[in-house]
Amino acid sequence: MMTELIAAGAIAPLLNRLHREDALHFLSRLPEQSIDMLFTDPPYSSGGLHAATRAMSTSQKYINGGTKTKYEDFGSDNMDQRSWTFWCHAWLSEAYRALMPGGLVVCFIDWRQLPALTDVVQAAGFIHRGIAVWDKTMARSRPRRGGFKQQAEFIVWASKGAMRTNDVYLPGVFPCALKLPKKHLTEKPLELAREVVRLVPEGGIVCDPFAGSGTFLVAAKETGLHWVGCEANDVYYGVAAERLHCTDMPTEQAA
Amino acid sequence: MMTELIAAGAIAPLLNRLHREDALHFLSRLPEQSIDMLFTDPPYSSGGLHAATRAMSTSQKYINGGTKTKYEDFGSDNMDQRSWTFWCHAWLSEAYRALMPGGLVVCFIDWRQLPALTDVVQAAGFIHRGIAVWDKTMARSRPRRGGFKQQAEFIVWASKGAMRTNDVYLPGVFPCALKLPKKHLTEKPLELAREVVRLVPEGGIVCDPFAGSGTFLVAAKETGLHWVGCEANDVYYGVAAERLHCTDMPTEQAA
DNA sequence: TTAACGGATGAATCTTGGC
DNA sequence: GGCCAAGATTCATCCGTTA
């Protein structure tokens, strides 16, 4: 209890702001046991099977054919699986430290990295609680000849120790198509994010260290929760900051 | 081509029959490169967090509260994760041998064993192609306080080498509720199975070494494909044999 | 015929108590 | 305290029966 009060004070100057910063560095600045939920969508680093594909920039890798829209590259998306796993362990460990007991990690991932992520979440100390599904629905995914369309993304969720009880019951599958135009290459539906943040108790803090266009933080803000996050890419920082109506921040605050 | 012709002859006496036999033993009797799809739903061995729960019988483990319906136990459902993984590797390796080049494995699994299964499928030599989702829908899943309902089961699919091309395109999420009364504790929807077997070329062979109530083989039979499978439990053997209109078989055929 | 009601269901999860 | 066993608990939806 004492620890939480101290943490509440220590995190106050960071709260309700978007930081223009690397995720790992940002998370290491969060006080212990200060946040209620880490809700994020990290780079998957899974676009290509081999190093040559990964060496392409993100927008090259995912956008091809006659697509008109071009997206800004996002960082940390060129690792091989070992490096990606190592890196995930690093930021998840910082997240573990920053979360309150009973706090939740809710993390989007694709089918290719799903097994590695569940390993790493548990290696960082969390209790793996399950896998929810975002069904992108037929409209928004490419058909697959001779097999199953890759129509779903997965939501790995885990807790720091025993779960705190509340009276929220969420479904395990969220069928929702993303409305165009997207603000980010890997944007997630706001309606889904609104559901997820309902798991956070009143007055709680939601953190997203890979804010992208800021959807998860927008959902937290709209729900009346505290929020804090970071985004290293200048363009996406601008997009998210505008959606969050927060003024531009320097790269790092003085302590 | 020669190999396939020989295999076609060698498997003929086993075809379109349900064998009352252990899965590993049954698969080892299949000729090399003789089947087109292994479509199955193995025991998950994931009911409990620790050995004590796993030591319970299947029906004890999964059915409690005021439920009236009782189901027959099924075997191989009391392993810890290491043993389960080892055992899966054994039967998947036999399946690899028995599959034709370009043949598919399509395997149901729950969230707890999904990462282990994808490891083992690849260790057995298959190329992991993706993860499809069976959405049991809200009706057929238990609510979860303070988190996401476990509403989905997963369908890991993989190929033996390069995929053969055909003009079938399947969705990646199958929302369908099971109709009651079920014939097996872990029964899967026939309508879903009908979709999956469409991936098999005309005249092909579908194999299910954990037939249970026989849903997958029924789907294959109805579609006009060849089918072959086994079930070790006498009660489920009877249920499946009746659905498949096949006469009772001795434990093992003479060669 | 339709509407309302109550019991049944869930590849589970959590808490408590005993040794 | 660690490990294990037993009992309590959860609610959206379905389905058969009654009003």
Side-chain angles (χ1 to χ4, degrees), chain B residues 169-243:
Chain B
Y169 295 82
L170 296 188
V173 177
F174 298 85
C176 48
L178 259 179
K179 284 174 194 66
L180 298 179
K182 296 193 293 184
K183 292 168 281 297
H184 189 281
L185 172 61
T186 67
E187 190 172 331
K188 301 293 177 282
L190 181 56
E191 58 206 279
L192 201 170
R194 284 204 192 99
E195 287 294 299
V196 173
V197 297
R198 289 179 51 214
L199 295 175
V200 178
E202 207 171 334
I205 304 174
V206 175
C207 171
D208 182 358
F210 305 99
S213 59
T215 304
F216 299 166
L217 298 178
V218 167
K221 182 178 182 178
E222 285 182 359
T223 311
L225 297 162
H226 293 295
W227 55 273
V228 61
C230 69
E231 171 57 46
N233 177 287
D234 284 334
V235 174
Y236 290 129
Y237 181 92
V239 172
E242 190 180 329
R243 289 179 78 190

Side-chain angles (χ1 to χ4, degrees), chain A residues 82-248:
Chain A
R82 274 194 72 243
S83 306
W84 185 85
T85 305
F86 185 86
W87 170 78
C88 284
H89 184 260
W91 62 261
L92 280 165
S93 297
E94 287 297 334
Y96 187 88
R97 191 187 52 76
L99 274 163
M100 298 203 197
L104 297 179
V105 169
V106 179
C107 186
F108 275 78
I109 199 69
D110 74 346
W111 68 274
R112 221 175 255 286
Q113 302 288 33
L114 173 59
L117 184 66
T118 61
D119 285 347
V120 150
V121 159
Q122 291 173 87
F126 294 100
I127 301 175
H128 183 202
R129 297 293 179 172
I131 301 173
V133 173
W134 171 35
D135 176 1
K136 293 188 265 196
T137 76
M138 297 294 279
R140 292 271 176 278
S141 49
R142 190 185 300 179
R144 169 87 183 237
R145 188 186 173 95
F148 302 87
K149 178 182 289 208
Q150 197 44 62
Q151 184 181 335
E153 283 191 33
F154 302 97
I155 304 168
V156 170
W157 67 290
S159 67
K160 177 171 177 174
M163 289 179 57
R164 289 180 291 188
T165 53
N166 62 39
D167 280 330
V168 180
Y169 294 82
L170 295 187
V173 177
F174 298 85
C176 47
L178 205 48
K179 286 176 192 67
L180 298 178
K182 295 194 291 184
K183 289 169 282 295
H184 190 281
L185 176 58
T186 66
E187 189 173 332
K188 302 294 177 284
L190 182 57
E191 58 206 281
L192 203 170
R194 284 202 192 100
E195 287 294 299
V196 172
V197 297
R198 290 178 51 214
L199 295 174
V200 177
E202 206 171 334
I205 302 173
V206 175
C207 171
D208 182 357
F210 305 99
S213 60
T215 303
F216 299 166
L217 298 177
V218 168
K221 182 178 182 179
E222 284 182 358
T223 310
L225 296 162
H226 294 294
W227 54 274
V228 62
C230 70
E231 172 56 47
N233 177 285
D234 283 336
V235 174
Y236 289 129
Y237 181 91
V239 172
E242 190 179 331
R243 289 178 79 191
L244 290 159
H245 309 293
C246 76
T247 52
D248 220 349

